[in-house]
């Protein structure tokens, strides 16, 4: 049962007192057997009176003991666990925290004189596991406040742990005076982790289960990568019909939601990467990744420009055979023709409809034009076969190509006069003079 406690005895008890009392063990735990050992007894003692309280009051009397007979009489403050020893000491069996406090021994000698001694005992309880509670375990960085409370039925000392280590001093500054409440205004991402509190006294220690805190932040530093290289704000050049994968990265918790846009128009892609396959002119433009955090309600973006590489191959025409004779076939072979070719057309003379020999369609088939003689054949590589050359075939031929991007290129070739014959063969190919 609980008793009134006093950490120090009244001043009058210490005046001239020679008797002292010490507990054994000095720091007992609840359940221990404790002996209050008496020092400094002198003369022949007739009786002992033990009090558990700050004054010599009958209310605090634990027991009286007659030395000559060994008779012990319990007092009002007896709990059923105390027993006076013949040497004047007091045994407390299975001491409880309620036995803590000031004890006074009063002795009576043959001259009916009394003397007193005092001591103090603190019985420490075996601490139960504390519990940490949080106002919220998922907070937004720099916006929300974290409050952690350590609950324990015992008035023990409290210390905090973060990820298994002693709490950093910067966070400890947010503790309440009793150390049981931890407050952090504008929580930071570095403070996300496992929090525990621990209660302790000289004989017992107990640590709580961890409470895991998540701190949402971002997205920050949104960037677009190509092959692990940051390309944000850059222009990426691709060859025609090649492929490209763009990756969107950011610093965010949780992982953000991604939206891709092409020239300002949203694409149906909710992934962190975007594939561009079979590059054409229609896919040239600005690609933007938008990262949205559903918890912080913040977003960020990054963009790149994707363009087709400039054509590096110059288109030329080579006759095969190089010196055909009258009556032979000649192929005007085209080298370096556009790989993204849409259509082409061959003309006799300048590139005008009346002189069109034939055209190659996107389907791969060619159709004859107004100037077709029945001896001209077109090929997929833009080459032109003229069969059974005669004198009327001499003159200028014009090739016109159109790419998928709408780029047009015109190239001319000249069959010189006189045309090749068995007597004096001569055939040449010429390019129009370059304009300044």
């Amino acid at each position: 049962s609980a008793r009134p406690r006093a950490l120090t005895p009244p001043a009058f008890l210490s005046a001239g007192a020679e008797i002292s009392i010490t507990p054994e063990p000095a720091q007992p735990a609840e359940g221990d057997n404790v002996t209050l050992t008496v020092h400094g007894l002198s003369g022949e003692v007739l009786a002992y009176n033990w009090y558990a309280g700050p004054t010599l009051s009958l209310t605090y009397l634990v027991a009286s003991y007659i030395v000559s007979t060994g008779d012990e009489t319990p007092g009002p403050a007896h709990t059923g666990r105390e027993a006076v020893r013949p040497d004047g000491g007091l045994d407390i069996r299975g001491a409880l925290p309620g036995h803590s406090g000031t004890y006074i021994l009063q002795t009576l000698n043959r001259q009916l004189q009394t003397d007193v001694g005092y001591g103090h005992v603190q019985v420490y309880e075996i601490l139960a596991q504390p519990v940490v509670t949080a106002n919220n375990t998922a907070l937004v960085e720099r916006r929300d406040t974290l409050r952690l409370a350590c609950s324990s039925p015992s008035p023990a000392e409290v210390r905090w742990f973060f990820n298994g280590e002693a709490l950093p001093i910067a966070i400890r500054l947010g503790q309440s005076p009793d150390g049981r409440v931890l407050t952090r205004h504008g929580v930071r991402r570095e403070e996300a982790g496992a929090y525990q509190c621990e209660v302790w006294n000289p004989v017992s220690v107990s640590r709580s289960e961890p409470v895991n805190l998540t701190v949402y932040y971002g997205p920050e530093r949104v960037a677009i990568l190509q092959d692990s290289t940051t390309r944000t704000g850059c222009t990426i050049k691709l060859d025609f019909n090649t492929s490209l994968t763009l990756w969107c990265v950011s610093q965010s918790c949780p992982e953000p939601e991604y939206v891709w846009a092409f020239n300002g128009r949203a694409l149906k892609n909710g992934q962190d990467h975007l594939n561009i396959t079979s590059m054409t002119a229609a896919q040239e433009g600005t690609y933007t990744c938008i990262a949205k955090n559903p918890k912080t309600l913040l977003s960020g973006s990054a963009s790149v420009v994707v363009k087709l590489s400039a054509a590096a191959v110059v288109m030329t025409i080579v006759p095969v055979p190089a010196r055909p004779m009258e009556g032979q076939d000649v192929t005007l072979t085209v080298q370096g023709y556009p790989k993204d070719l849409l259509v082409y057309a061959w003309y006799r003379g300048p590139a005008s409809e009346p002189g069109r020999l034939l055209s190659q369609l996107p389907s791969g088939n060619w159709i004859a034009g107004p100037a077709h003689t029945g001896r001209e054949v077109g090929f997929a590589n833009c080459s032109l076969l003229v069969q059974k050359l005669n004198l009327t075939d001499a003159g200028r031929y014009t090739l016109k190509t159109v790419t998928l991007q709408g780029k047009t290129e015109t190239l001319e070739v000249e069959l010189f006069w006189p045309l090749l014959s068995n007597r004096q063969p001569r055939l040449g190919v010429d390019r129009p003079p370059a304009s300044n």
Side-chain angles (χ1 to χ4, degrees):
S1 60
R3 305 191 182 102
R5 300 179 183 178
L7 296 180
T8 57
F12 75 85
L13 289 178
S14 61
E18 298 179 358
I19 301 173
S20 63
I21 301 168
T22 58
E24 296 179 3
Q27 294 180 327
E30 62 177 311
D32 285 352
N33 294 326
V34 180
T35 298
L36 300 182
T37 303
V38 181
H39 307 276
L41 290 177
S42 60
E44 186 177 356
V45 178
L46 297 181
Y48 302 108
N49 293 322
W50 274 98
Y51 299 85
T55 61
L56 296 173
S57 169
L58 184 61
T59 304
Y60 301 127
L61 180 64
V62 175
S64 296
Y65 182 85
I66 305 301
V67 176
S68 60
T69 63
D71 291 336
E72 179 178 335
T73 304
H78 197 278
T79 66
R81 297 173 182 264
E82 298 87 353
V84 181
R85 299 164 61 98
D87 61 3
L90 180 68
D91 288 333
I92 306 174
R93 299 184 308 276
L96 300 174
H99 287 102
S100 300
T102 298
Y103 283 80
I104 302 174
L105 171 63
Q106 182 185 53
T107 63
L108 179 68
N109 62 20
R110 284 189 175 276
Q111 290 74 38
L112 301 183
Q113 295 174 326
T114 62
D115 200 357
V116 295
Y118 63 89
H120 184 81
V121 63
Q122 177 67 50
V123 180
Y124 295 97
E125 64 180 300
I126 302 300
L127 299 171
Q129 185 179 38
V131 176
V132 174
T133 56
N135 62 323
N136 199 333
T137 56
L139 304 174
V140 175
E141 185 179 39
R142 300 181 183 274
R143 189 184 77 188
D144 293 339
T145 295
L146 169 66
R147 289 186 181 87
L148 297 174
C150 181
S151 300
S152 170
S154 308
E157 296 289 333
V158 175
R159 52 195 173 201
W160 289 87
F161 291 84
F162 176 64
N163 292 335
E165 302 291 337
L167 199 66
I169 182 63
I171 301 180
R172 289 204 301 272
L173 294 176
Q175 288 181 239
S176 60
D178 64 0
R180 294 194 170 223
V181 177
L182 184 65
T183 303
R184 294 292 291 163
H185 297 286
V187 66
R188 302 293 192 267
R189 70 190 67 177
E190 299 82 17
E191 294 163 0
Y195 286 83
Q196 293 170 282
C197 75
E198 186 177 84
V199 291
W200 64 278
N201 60 33
V203 301
S204 177
V205 62
S206 182
R207 188 178 299 189
S208 71
E209 294 295 328
V211 168
N212 293 303
L213 173 67
T214 300
V215 177
Y216 298 132
Y217 60 88
E220 300 172 355
R221 300 183 181 180
V222 181
I224 295 178
L225 304 184
Q226 176 195 11
D227 298 330
S228 302
T229 302
T230 301
R231 303 304 299 270
T232 304
C234 298
T235 296
I236 301 174
K237 293 186 177 181
L238 287 184
D239 292 335
F240 175 76
N241 206 33
T242 57
S243 299
L244 170 68
T245 299
L246 299 176
W247 292 88
C248 192
V249 297
S250 67
Q251 294 182 0
S252 178
C253 177
E255 187 73 13
E257 300 169 351
Y258 293 100
V259 176
W260 289 88
F262 172 58
N263 290 336
R265 187 183 76 254
L267 300 175
K268 294 182 179 180
N269 183 315
Q271 300 179 339
D272 59 354
H273 63 281
L274 176 69
N275 293 319
I276 301 175
T277 58
S278 303
M279 180 66 189
T280 66
Q283 294 166 292
E284 285 188 317
T286 300
Y287 289 83
T288 302
C289 167
I290 304 170
K292 299 180 178 180
N293 188 317
K295 299 297 185 180
T296 66
L297 305 180
L298 301 175
S299 62
S301 64
S303 299
V304 295
V305 175
V306 178
K307 290 186 175 181
L308 279 170
S309 301
V313 180
V314 178
M315 187 166 59
T316 58
I317 300 176
V318 178
V320 178
R323 298 176 62 84
M325 298 195 309
E326 186 178 1
Q328 286 187 323
D329 297 345
V330 63
T331 301
L332 302 181
T333 303
V334 179
Q335 299 178 346
Y337 69 93
K339 300 302 181 184
D340 55 343
L341 180 70
L342 177 63
V343 295
Y344 74 81
W346 276 99
Y347 301 87
R348 282 296 306 270
S352 61
E353 180 57 24
R356 183 169 59 84
L357 290 170
L358 57 84
S359 301
Q360 168 94 23
L361 299 178
S363 63
N365 299 321
W366 61 268
I367 57 176
H372 194 268
T373 67
R375 294 180 292 114
E376 296 86 8
V377 179
F379 297 96
N381 63 357
C382 301
S383 298
L384 177 69
L385 168 65
V386 182
Q387 302 171 331
K388 298 180 180 180
L389 288 174
N390 60 43
L391 296 178
T392 62
D393 295 324
R396 180 188 305 176
Y397 288 75
T398 301
L399 170 65
K400 182 177 181 180
T401 60
V402 181
T403 67
L404 291 171
Q405 296 81 42
K407 181 180 179 182
T408 300
E409 186 174 358
T410 301
L411 187 63
E412 296 179 350
V413 62
E414 191 83 20
L415 295 184
F416 291 107
W417 183 265
L419 204 61
L420 297 175
S421 67
N422 292 329
R423 191 160 41 90
Q424 194 174 7
R426 184 183 180 205
L427 177 64
V429 176
D430 189 27
R431 181 184 295 272
S435 58
N436 295 327

